[in-house]
Amino acid sequence: KPPPASSGGGAGEAPMKYIASCSFGKDSLAMILTIIEHGLPLDEVVYREVMFDDTTSGEYPEHADFIHNKAVPILELVYGLKVTVLRAKTNYKERLARPNTKGKHIGEPRGFPLRLGPWCNSELKMKPLRDYERGLPDTVHEYVGITADEPTRLERVLKTNNASAPLADFGITEEMAFKMCQEHYLLSPIYKTQKRSGCWFCHNARLDEMRDLWRNYPELWEELRKLQAISPIKFTSRNSVFDLEERFKKEDADHEKTQEIPAPGQAPDV
């Protein structure tokens, strides 16, 4: 259910602070628009930015530009919201290359995250938020951008204390969230090429997303090649970055060959 309209605590109770956890994807931005539309209490928008290195964002370049140069200014200047950007004290590249200090592989680079329990999520995404929340004097209620047509994710949120999903509460689906962002000029250009927003170096990305990174962002793919060269762990559970690259090259070569084969009854080019 939506939280009460008042953020004040009762007698002897710590005041409640309401934050919206925002990735600046369609669902989290539609969530903020929904909060505003329905007059729900909101003290702050919190964005956790995972950094690849000291200067390179984990967001795709066009999404990072959208966040910092369009969406944040709109939320602050048009809607009067406070936006806080949280970053870990370290970054993906540094953590991957850091030598192991215990276990069978002491001295070796830590390597790419595993599919289950990835260190990138716990150390680079969740830790900055938890550190931030521990520094607050208030009790925190967190809004999350889960739509009405995501029952599995919603069930997990409903088991969490002091969290709610306004989109689900008001029956808003993913399709509706997409249209809301379009209507308010808050739809990231990332959706022109991707179905979701997320880190470009995500080892859990779909194969077509990895293929798109290899084909359209060669400078970012080169960064992954450099990390695979020192990582004792493959990029995905089955394939190294080099394996994926060979697969994509072969797929392109096979596609080119099929284009060269004339259709039945068609004379070949001479």
Side-chain angles (χ1 to χ4, degrees):
K1 297 180 180 180
S6 172
S7 59
E13 295 180 2
M16 183 72 76
K17 184 179 180 72
Y18 293 89
I19 66 171
S21 184
C22 183
S23 67
F24 290 94
K26 60 178 176 56
D27 294 341
S28 56
L29 281 170
M31 171 191 69
I32 292 172
L33 294 171
T34 300
I35 290 170
I36 294 169
E37 179 183 352
H38 292 276
L40 301 181
L42 178 60
D43 297 300
E44 194 170 355
V45 175
V46 176
Y47 165 53
R48 292 167 284 173
E49 183 171 28
V50 175
M51 298 297 290
F52 175 73
D53 57 26
D54 289 340
T55 59
T56 307
S57 176
E59 307 287 359
Y60 279 84
E62 61 267 44
H63 189 53
D65 179 70
F66 164 78
I67 291 170
H68 295 290
N69 296 318
K70 183 176 182 180
V72 169
I74 287 177
L75 293 186
E76 292 180 333
L77 300 177
V78 177
Y79 296 105
L81 299 175
K82 177 183 178 182
V83 180
T84 297
V85 179
L86 302 179
R87 297 188 183 101
K89 295 179 180 180
T90 184
N91 58 64
Y92 183 85
K93 188 174 181 179
E94 190 277 330
R95 290 302 293 164
L96 183 149
R98 184 177 295 184
N100 288 307
T101 58
K102 57 183 178 180
K104 298 180 180 180
H105 305 285
I106 293 178
E108 293 183 10
R110 188 179 200 179
F112 286 116
L114 299 176
R115 187 175 182 84
L116 299 177
W119 54 259
C120 53
N121 184 62
S122 59
E123 297 179 19
L124 302 181
K125 195 169 186 180
M126 297 305 300
K127 188 177 186 303
L129 179 64
R130 299 301 170 236
D131 290 345
Y132 169 76
E133 290 178 345
R134 279 196 293 269
L136 296 175
D138 310 323
T139 302
V140 174
H141 182 98
E142 182 181 4
Y143 296 115
V144 292
I146 297 178
T147 59
D149 47 358
E150 296 180 281
T152 302
R153 292 183 65 206
L154 182 60
E155 184 179 358
R156 290 199 297 265
V157 170
L158 295 178
K159 294 179 181 179
T160 305
N161 292 328
N162 296 329
S164 63
L167 293 178
D169 291 335
F170 292 100
I172 297 172
T173 64
E174 283 197 71
E175 182 180 357
M176 294 164 68
F178 188 94
K179 292 180 179 178
M180 285 177 66
C181 291
Q182 277 185 320
E183 293 169 356
H184 290 82
Y185 304 99
L186 280 172
L187 185 68
S188 171
I190 193 67
Y191 292 107
K192 293 178 181 179
T193 57
Q194 306 289 337
K195 294 182 179 180
R196 66 177 186 91
S197 61
C199 293
W200 56 264
F201 47 78
C202 181
H203 59 289
N204 284 327
R206 296 191 302 271
L207 186 64
D208 59 337
E209 294 172 331
M210 295 180 185
R211 185 184 295 106
D212 179 75
L213 182 72
W214 169 75
R215 181 172 291 129
N216 297 318
Y217 303 86
E219 71 287 352
L220 298 182
W221 187 265
E222 179 61 26
E223 292 294 335
L224 289 182
R225 295 180 87 257
K226 292 176 183 177
L227 293 184
Q228 185 65 82
I230 66 170
S231 174
I233 298 172
K234 292 182 178 181
F235 181 53
T236 72
S237 58
R238 295 183 178 181
N239 296 293
S240 70
V241 173
F242 306 121
D243 294 334
L244 290 168
E245 184 171 316
E246 288 304 310
R247 172 175 178 159
F248 300 152
K249 287 180 179 178
K250 185 177 185 303
E251 288 174 346
D252 277 4
D254 291 345
H255 179 72
E256 289 180 5
K257 289 179 181 178
T258 61
Q259 299 303 306
E260 295 172 357
I261 300 175
Q266 178 182 347
D269 292 335
V270 294

